[in-house]
Amino acid sequence: MGNEASYPTEMCSHFNHDEIKRLSKRFKKLDLDCSGSLSVDEFLSLPELRQNPLVQRVIDVFDTDGNGEVDFEEFVVGTSQFSVRGDEEQKLRFAFSIYDMDKDGYISNGELFQVLKMMVGNNLQDWQLQQIVDKTIIILDRDGDGRISFEEFSAVVGNLEVHKKLVVIV
Amino acid sequence: MRCAALPLLWLPLAGAAATEEPTREPGSPGEPPPGLALFRWQWHEVEAPYLVALWILVASLAKIVFHLSRKVTSLVPESCLLILLGLVLGGIVLAVAKKAEYQLEPGTFFLFLLPPIVLDSGYFMPSRLFFDNLGAILTYAVVGTLWNAFTTGAALWGLQQAGLVAPRVQASLLDFLLFGSLISAVDPVAVLAVFEEVHVNDTLFIIVFGESLLNDAVTVVLYKVCNSFVEMGSANVQATDYLKGVASLFVVSLGGAAVGLVFAFLLALTTRFTKRVRIIEPLLVFLLAYAAYLTAEMASLSAILAVTMCGLGCKKYVEANISHKSRTAVKYTMKTLASCAETVIFMLLGISAVDSSKWAWDSGLVLGTLFFILFFRALGVVLQTWVLNQFRLVPLDKIDQVVMSYGGLRGAVAFALVILLDKTKVPAKDYFVATTIVVVFFTVIVQGLTIKPLVKWLKVKRSEHHKPTLNQELHEHTFDHILAAVEDVVGHHGYHYWRDRWEQFDKKYLSQLLMRRSAYRIRDQIWDVYYRLNIRDAISFVDQGGHILSSTGLTLPSMPSRNSMAETSVTNLLRESGSGACLDLQVIDTVRSGRDREDAVMHHLLCGGLYKPRRRYKASCSRHFISEDAQERQDKEVFQQNMKRRLESFKSTKHNICFTKSKPRPRKTSRKKKDGLANTEATNGKPPRNLSVQDTAAVILTVESEEEEESDSSETEKEDDEGIIFVARATSEVLQEVKVSGSLEVCPSPRIIPPSPTCAEKELPWKSGQGDLAVYVSSETTKIVPVDMQTGWNQSISSLESLASPPCTQAPTVTRLPPCPLAAEEPQHPFNLPYDPRPSFAFPPSLAKAGRSRSESSADIPQQQELQPLMGYEDRTHLSPGTANSHWCIQFNKGSRL
């Protein structure tokens, strides 16, 4: 795991020195106003990011302290969840928090709807989407409270093994 | 078992023997011309195709015999059995004819037997899995094959130098490299045959199998290069030739892939225009894929790669373009051809091995080759996996590596290539042939036999077969987007980045170019999966039969309709207009229609003007179409008329509306006729459910159906309903209605056969008057809404929506159960993305249960009530709290008459 020691412990990530160096270069490139943190606008300055329906969610998840900006530490910790060396639960957590918009630890019907809405855009009608959301929730919801906890989420999604693909090479 | 197959053998032999006589007969000069022969024996004219057909027949019958015993096939892979059968057959032919006939000819093999197998595997390759593991597959295919070829060749040469190979085997280093190149490639046919029975997990399978397909290019190049080097003589080979050899690797592989992609493009484009000649769709698929194979072969590119890419590339578009029936045809034909070719290949392999004139044995060479093959394969796999694992989140562990090494089966490709060697240039050909045969037999039989127990013993993760679930589809999409986003953020343009790009490109240009507009528009995977799930549910309900639920969902039908023959854009319309095209059955059964009386009145009115269906029998003899059932057409007409009329009246009433699908039914007398008419009825009055377009599916319940059930005709066929009835009723009246507890009350009528109308009949006019129809559990009922209705439909919807806005109009009575916050979400609302603080909707605990268990029609209302939120989204808006009473019952009679 490389030279983690040379970084503050709270920055403990799965990256080695080289990777962090590369990330910091990248970070500086993205940080157009040199403020030391990335705002949504700065992210969206990348044309390819603008097309990604979930980029807003990803930024939100990166932004752990909720100040609307992603600083370098958040940046490293966020991306480190996608490291090859990251563990599976971490990746599942990340996916879960993509859906969990209000960060209350549960995915509600409305949250799921909104996330899916971002993904399908105008391909589906709202009512179609709502049907899908309802059905998904029924399937996932084990305890019948109408929302999905992380345990419920990981029970089903973990089995699909899709999260194992969540790897990005930095 | 095998004995049973034996007599069959005699068929071709007897045929062959028969050749002699008849040929002589017409030729004998002395006899007078026989005049008009009553009977002529013309064996020689049909000999070739006849023998081919007979061999295939023998092989197929043998397969049947093998599968009579489950025990045998579970222990022994079919390929082993076929090879053994081939050996036996070959022995018999040899004994009878005194010479070996029927060889596996390389020409036949490469031109006719191999293409169907490769096409089948390319076309049905799980493309996502394939591309996700492309890196690993390519590594094993290219590096692995090169490694195997060179190490094996060199090691054999070393063996010869060491004196362990008899001096009779005259071969130079180049000869051994040539041999190494042909023996090193893992064979797709053998791998497929064995691994399909082993069911290892998907990743492992795709890696081994993908490797076997892609290494063809490498094998072809190596083989050709070595072969030409050998022919030139090693002395004449110059440095540039080596460079050319390397270059040709790229030319052959990329060229092959390019040829495949070009043909895939052509194929997709062609199928876009086959709307009027559905019948040739499957043919096109085969023709163009075969053309790709032949073209690549002609240009001496990698033909296997070409067909694989063709199948892989065209599938998405072709499947979207061709009709449902064509898809089935393609699937089965492809599987049949592939299985047939595979069977023949293995059997011929066995037969060819008998011909001892072609081979010469050398123990040193054979044993050495066997050992090196296994050893270097294992070594190569371990080394490559070690490298690859640096980049994989889920590393290939030791067990996977064992299976991968052990699964490196050699097969018919190697055999065909070795037969192709030129004996004058390669003096040791006979030894190579013998060695190849042994290697092939060893890998297919010994490894094939043992791999299953090995996999079990090592506890290799097996593949679980699960159908795609909604969750999987959803989350895969989400994860893909997440990955692409993170890659973008990190600035690493990796696999996901390019996939994302590709998808954008595909969506923007390719799909539009290659897919029919109708197919393109409705293509959304998530929705597809959702659809399939619902249909599966529906089918299982029907199968269980017990419960009668009907759904308007009968939308069932609408599913395949995407590409179905009646390509009216009915389905499009449905999807677009948001009608109840896809109803979730789990939801439906809890819904019930709330109005009857009004409906009844309305229907009486309507009924007068309804078009009365009449059967027309049309001879359908067009060779270019499988004509849709006359019936279907008729239904459509009827339906359209009904719709028009109803819409009009509907607009005028502008009141609570619901539409049910139904169609007029023919009289009982006409039972024999099949009518796919459906009828669904809205039943008794309940407080009006304020209109909802989608939930429209109101239908009925039916207790009353006793009568019908027995008569098995009348209501039974309801299930196929297709039609839509709009029911409008005055609100005021509705109010009066007391809540109805269940369907039971609705139709209390005892079963009386013809005369006395059930109450439903009284109330629902369309019910009476129509006899039963034959049940028609049609597989696909495609029609839903006629196209031309679309505009009218949309208008009316909008008018309804406007109506709905003033709360007072609607639902006076309603009380909605607690989870109503959902109502807050207005459909029309543009969605504010991220931070929309909408109240989250929670399902009452009972909900899930209610949703799943099809409760009796009378099921408790509250529960069902709760399900309502599940209905169409727009619907929700109109629901006002307190619809408690309203309750739609739906009945789904199982068509018993079929």
Side-chain angles (χ1 to χ4, degrees):
Chain A
M1 294 245 188
N3 306 342
E4 261 166 27
S6 58
Y7 288 86
T9 45
E10 65 272 16
M11 258 182 74
C12 177
S13 65
H14 298 286
F15 292 128
N16 60 29
H17 195 73
D18 286 346
E19 286 167 330
I20 292 196
K21 233 183 186 170
R22 240 172 289 150
L23 278 180
S24 101
K25 222 187 250 166
R26 178 69 183 169
F27 185 86
K28 277 178 199 140
K29 202 167 147 204
L30 285 175
D31 188 13
L32 298 176
D33 58 3
C34 300
S35 62
S37 61
L38 303 177
S39 67
V40 175
D41 288 342
E42 282 164 340
F43 276 114
L44 292 184
S45 65
L46 294 173
E48 59 265 28
L49 266 186
R50 250 177 270 142
Q51 290 172 5
N52 193 311
L54 286 185
V55 69
Q56 182 67 54
R57 290 299 308 138
V58 171
I59 295 172
D60 285 345
V61 176
F62 272 26
D63 178 22
T64 42
D65 59 6
N67 65 354
E69 304 230 317
V70 177
D71 59 29
F72 184 60
E73 188 182 320
E74 287 168 346
F75 187 74
V76 171
V77 172
T79 48
S80 94
Q81 301 175 53
F82 290 88
S83 158
V84 190
R85 296 174 280 256
D87 65 12
E88 292 173 11
E89 184 182 337
Q90 220 172 7
K91 293 174 196 301
L92 266 184
R93 275 260 175 229
F94 191 95
F96 181 81
S97 43
I98 289 283
Y99 292 113
D100 182 18
M101 302 175 74
D102 58 7
K103 302 186 181 173
D104 66 350
Y106 292 96
I107 302 174
S108 69
N109 190 304
E111 285 168 343
L112 186 58
F113 182 93
Q114 290 184 48
V115 174
L116 291 191
K117 181 71 186 168
M118 297 175 200
M119 291 202 301
V120 300
N122 293 324
N123 287 352
L124 289 184
Q125 307 262 320
D126 284 350
W127 64 268
Q128 293 177 314
L129 199 54
Q130 188 61 49
Q131 287 186 344
I132 293 175
V133 169
D134 289 338
K135 184 144 190 162
T136 311
I137 295 221
I138 291 183
I139 295 171
L140 283 175
D141 185 17
R142 295 280 157 84
D143 60 6
D145 62 356
R147 51 189 193 167
I148 303 165
S149 66
F150 179 68
E151 285 68 33
E152 289 164 343
F153 181 80
S154 57
V156 173
V157 180
N159 277 337
L160 300 177
E161 311 210 324
V162 272
H163 60 290
K164 292 192 181 166
K165 293 180 193 140
L166 284 183
V167 174
V168 172
I169 294 163
V170 176
Chain B
M1 298 197 118
R2 209 149 304 123
C3 312
L6 286 187
L8 293 173
L9 305 187
W10 298 105
L11 278 176
L13 296 178
T19 346
E20 311 296 321
E21 301 165 25
T23 38
R24 230 173 281 143
E25 221 171 273
S28 44
E31 293 176 21
L36 184 62
L38 275 184
F39 181 79
R40 279 182 73 204
W41 190 259
Q42 296 184 317
W43 164 254
H44 59 287
E45 288 180 19
V46 295
E47 179 178 357
Y50 205 95
L51 282 180
V52 170
L54 274 181
W55 277 117
I56 296 177
L57 180 67
V58 169
S60 311
L61 289 175
K63 253 184 152 164
I64 296 179
V65 173
F66 296 151
H67 283 278
L68 283 182
S69 153
R70 200 167 292 160
K71 215 174 183 183
V72 174
T73 40
S74 69
L75 286 178
V76 188
E78 206 178 81
S79 47
C80 300
L81 290 172
L82 284 168
I83 283 196
L84 294 178
L85 172 70
L87 279 175
V88 174
L89 288 183
I92 292 169
V93 172
L94 194 65
V96 172
K98 303 292 182 230
K99 61 182 170 103
E101 296 200 45
Y102 316 116
Q103 298 284 332
L104 181 57
E105 298 295 337
T108 321
F109 173 75
F110 283 116
L111 289 186
F112 302 110
L113 294 177
L114 195 53
I117 299 178
V118 180
L119 177 61
D120 172 63
S121 43
Y123 192 77
F124 292 106
M125 171 113 58
S127 53
R128 182 68 204 270
L129 200 60
F130 178 78
F131 285 110
D132 281 351
N133 292 292
L134 190 60
I137 292 173
L138 276 180
T139 314
Y140 289 119
V142 177
V143 182
T145 307
L146 287 174
W147 159 269
N148 282 348
F150 283 111
T151 50
T152 310
L156 284 175
W157 182 72
L159 207 63
Q160 190 202 32
Q161 297 300 306
L164 291 174
V165 174
R168 294 169 285 166
V169 183
Q170 303 167 334
S172 62
L173 175 58
L174 257 182
D175 291 336
F176 278 118
L177 285 178
L178 174 60
F179 179 63
S181 71
L182 65 87
I183 201 76
S184 63
V186 176
D187 182 70
V189 183
V191 165
L192 203 60
V194 170
F195 272 68
E196 280 203 332
E197 298 184 17
V198 178
H199 305 300
V200 294
N201 61 66
D202 290 345
T203 315
L204 198 51
F205 174 77
I206 201 73
I207 287 180
V208 177
F209 179 56
E211 175 198 347
S212 71
L213 277 179
L214 296 195
N215 68 15
D216 173 68
V218 182
T219 314
V220 168
V221 171
L222 271 183
Y223 178 78
K224 282 187 181 145
V225 169
C226 291
N227 209 3
S228 48
F229 283 179
V230 168
E231 283 173 11
M232 290 191 306
S234 50
N236 304 328
V237 179
Q238 291 160 3
T240 51
D241 292 324
Y242 290 108
L243 284 182
K244 277 188 205 158
V246 174
S248 73
L249 176 61
F250 290 96
V251 173
V252 168
S253 55
L254 297 181
V259 167
L261 290 178
V262 167
F263 276 89
F265 182 82
L266 288 179
L267 176 51
L269 199 61
T270 319
T271 53
R272 192 183 159 177
F273 302 106
T274 51
K275 187 170 169 186
R276 282 153 205 269
V277 272
R278 292 290 195 193
I279 209 76
I280 62 164
E281 281 171 344
L283 188 65
L284 280 176
V285 174
F286 291 103
L287 280 183
L288 279 166
Y290 193 46
Y293 186 90
L294 294 180
T295 309
E297 190 75 39
M298 183 177 70
S300 59
L301 302 173
S302 167
I304 291 189
L305 211 54
V307 175
T308 308
M309 295 310 287
C310 182
L312 207 58
C314 73
K315 185 175 185 199
K316 175 178 170 192
Y317 311 103
V318 169
E319 296 268 289
N321 282 338
I322 66 181
S323 75
H324 186 63
K325 285 175 188 160
S326 298
R327 257 185 284 166
T328 314
V330 167
K331 182 171 158 193
Y332 278 96
T333 317
M334 218 175 255
K335 292 283 178 204
T336 308
L337 285 178
S339 135
C340 172
E342 187 187 287
T343 310
V344 170
I345 287 175
F346 282 116
M347 205 171 69
L348 285 181
L349 260 185
I351 292 177
S352 318
V354 174
D355 182 6
S356 58
S357 66
K358 281 203 184 152
W359 45 286
W361 182 270
D362 180 81
S363 310
L365 184 64
V366 169
L367 293 179
T369 311
L370 266 186
F371 172 76
F372 289 135
I373 279 187
L374 292 175
F375 175 73
F376 286 118
R377 165 89 185 164
L379 191 61
V381 165
V382 171
L383 289 178
Q384 293 171 76
T385 311
W386 182 79
V387 175
L388 284 172
N389 274 346
Q390 307 298 309
F391 303 97
R392 292 180 71 92
L393 172 64
V394 187
L396 295 162
D397 57 22
K398 292 236 165 46
I399 291 177
D400 289 340
Q401 296 176 33
V402 171
V403 175
M404 277 164 57
S405 321
Y406 204 68
L409 306 178
R410 311 314 203 259
V413 172
F415 181 77
L417 286 179
V418 83
I419 294 282
L420 275 179
L421 288 179
D422 182 355
K423 185 151 189 196
T424 54
K425 301 281 166 46
V426 188
K429 177 186 172 186
D430 288 351
Y431 294 98
F432 289 157
V433 171
T435 313
T436 309
I437 289 179
V438 172
V439 167
V440 170
F441 278 38
F442 178 84
T443 54
V444 171
I445 296 181
V446 178
Q447 288 178 233
L449 269 179
T450 48
I451 197 165
K452 221 171 184 175
L454 182 80
V455 163
K456 242 182 232 158
W457 180 65
L458 290 175
K459 299 196 179 69
V460 177
K461 224 165 142 209
R462 302 300 192 90
S463 70
E464 304 121 23
H465 276 287
H466 48 90
K467 307 194 172 144
T469 62
L470 196 54
N471 271 298
Q472 186 170 3
E473 194 66 38
L474 286 183
H475 301 306
E476 268 176 13
H477 276 259
T478 315
F479 285 23
D480 287 346
H481 285 304
I482 296 177
L483 275 175
V486 174
E487 279 196 353
D488 288 338
V489 168
V490 172
H492 171 77
H493 288 188
Y495 170 66
H496 299 285
Y497 170 80
W498 288 110
R499 211 171 48 72
D500 206 48
R501 294 256 107 162
W502 164 254
E503 269 171 13
Q504 304 254 356
F505 173 75
D506 175 61
K507 206 165 151 196
K508 256 191 219 152
Y509 307 106
L510 263 190
S511 289
Q512 299 205 2
L513 181 62
L514 297 181
M515 281 189 200
R516 280 186 196 168
R517 212 159 295 140
S518 54
Y520 172 69
R521 221 179 302 152
I522 46 187
R523 199 164 174 82
D524 188 285
Q525 281 176 313
I526 300 182
W527 185 247
D528 261 11
V529 173
Y530 178 68
Y531 234 58
R532 260 180 277 137
L533 283 179
N534 277 344
I535 275 128
R536 206 174 61 203
D537 283 353
I539 289 172
S540 67
F541 291 159
V542 176
D543 286 347
Q544 290 160 4
H547 212 63
I548 334 196
L549 293 172
S550 112
S551 52
T552 330
L554 296 185
T555 331
L556 273 181
S558 65
M559 135 188 122
S561 59
R562 157 140 58 102
N563 304 320
S564 65
M565 309 215 128
E567 189 143 275
T568 49
S569 42
V570 168
T571 49
N572 293 342
L573 168 94
L574 261 189
R575 280 162 218 239
E576 276 149 31
S577 66
S579 65
C582 180
L583 284 181
D584 186 341
L585 277 188
Q586 299 186 346
V587 171
I588 279 181
D589 53 343
T590 59
V591 181
R592 69 172 145 137
S593 84
R595 51 235 55 167
D596 326 329
R597 262 239 206 116
E598 302 314 323
D599 293 358
V601 174
M602 220 42 237
H603 279 290
H604 276 300
L605 285 179
L606 289 174
C607 209
L610 285 187
Y611 176 95
K612 299 280 187 244
R614 188 178 313 144
R615 280 193 80 74
R616 269 168 270 152
Y617 293 97
K618 284 188 191 164
S620 61
C621 47
S622 163
R623 157 182 308 228
H624 305 291
F625 295 96
I626 299 175
S627 60
E628 36 183 327
D629 277 358
Q631 156 110 32
E632 273 174 43
R633 236 171 284 137
Q634 177 184 346
D635 288 350
K636 222 175 285 161
E637 255 182 67
V638 173
F639 179 64
Q640 290 184 356
Q641 295 213 1
N642 287 352
M643 286 294 294
K644 272 179 203 151
R645 248 171 243 159
R646 288 178 186 180
L647 262 186
E648 278 160 23
S649 62
F650 172 70
K651 277 187 211 159
S652 60
T653 25
K654 291 191 179 175
H655 260 272
N656 314 319
I657 300 145
C658 95
F659 74 70
T660 37
K661 298 177 161 200
S662 90
K663 277 193 172 185
R665 304 198 265 155
R667 311 221 56 140
K668 280 195 178 176
T669 47
S670 62
R671 282 191 191 177
K672 304 164 200 158
K673 304 178 180 181
K674 282 183 161 191
D675 271 331
L677 303 188
N679 44 349
T680 48
E681 293 102 275
T683 38
N684 43 31
K686 290 152 191 174
R689 216 180 177 217
N690 309 331
L691 96 51
S692 54
V693 184
Q694 293 87 344
D695 13 89
T696 68
V699 205
I700 281 281
L701 62 110
T702 45
V703 181
E704 90 209 48
S705 49
E706 289 179 335
E707 154 214 340
E708 279 152 23
E709 276 167 20
E710 322 237 334
S711 61
D712 59 344
S713 31
S714 54
E715 291 233 291
T716 355
E717 50 268 10
K718 282 182 185 176
E719 38 201 55
D720 328 294
D721 51 347
E722 6 217 78
I724 296 183
I725 294 180
F726 287 87
V727 181
R729 46 145 49 177
T731 342
S732 57
E733 293 219 1
V734 179
L735 296 181
Q736 302 172 355
E737 307 252 7
V738 188
K739 94 173 198 182
V740 182
S741 57
S743 33
L744 298 184
E745 300 181 355
V746 182
C747 341
S749 74
R751 74 189 219 99
I752 299 171
I753 310 244
S756 76
T758 53
C759 63
E761 275 170 348
K762 280 184 209 150
E763 294 201 328
L764 309 175
W766 63 94
K767 246 195 165 185
S768 61
Q770 294 149 3
D772 333 86
L773 336 165
V775 181
Y776 191 105
V777 185
S778 70
S779 39
E780 353 171 331
T781 355
T782 48
K783 32 208 135 166
I784 302 180
V785 179
V787 191
D788 47 337
M789 298 310 303
Q790 180 168 8
T791 25
W793 177 241
N794 289 338
Q795 287 173 2
S796 59
I797 288 178
S798 54
S799 66
L800 283 178
E801 276 170 357
S802 60
L803 269 188
S805 46
C808 45
T809 357
Q810 357 200 257
T813 50
V814 217
T815 52
R816 240 268 244 135
L817 290 195
C820 43
L822 251 203
E825 313 170 7
E826 263 122 293
Q828 301 91 332
H829 256 225
F831 252 93
N832 297 339
L833 290 185
Y835 287 119
D836 178 354
R838 330 199 231 134
S840 59
F841 167 62
F843 290 90
S846 52
L847 177 150
K849 227 197 290 160
R852 278 161 207 154
S853 66
R854 328 275 121 223
S855 47
E856 308 289 305
S857 48
S858 62
D860 47 17
I861 298 171
Q863 268 199 356
Q864 297 184 345
Q865 186 48 44
E866 288 153 9
L867 279 188
Q868 287 185 349
L870 289 181
M871 292 300 290
Y873 182 67
E874 295 176 12
D875 183 20
R876 217 172 291 123
T877 13
H878 309 288
L879 284 183
S880 34
T883 357
N885 298 336
S886 74
H887 180 159
W888 298 29
C889 293
I890 295 170
Q891 146 172 40
F892 204 160
N893 282 338
K894 180 164 188 180
S896 43
R897 275 244 247 148
L898 265 202

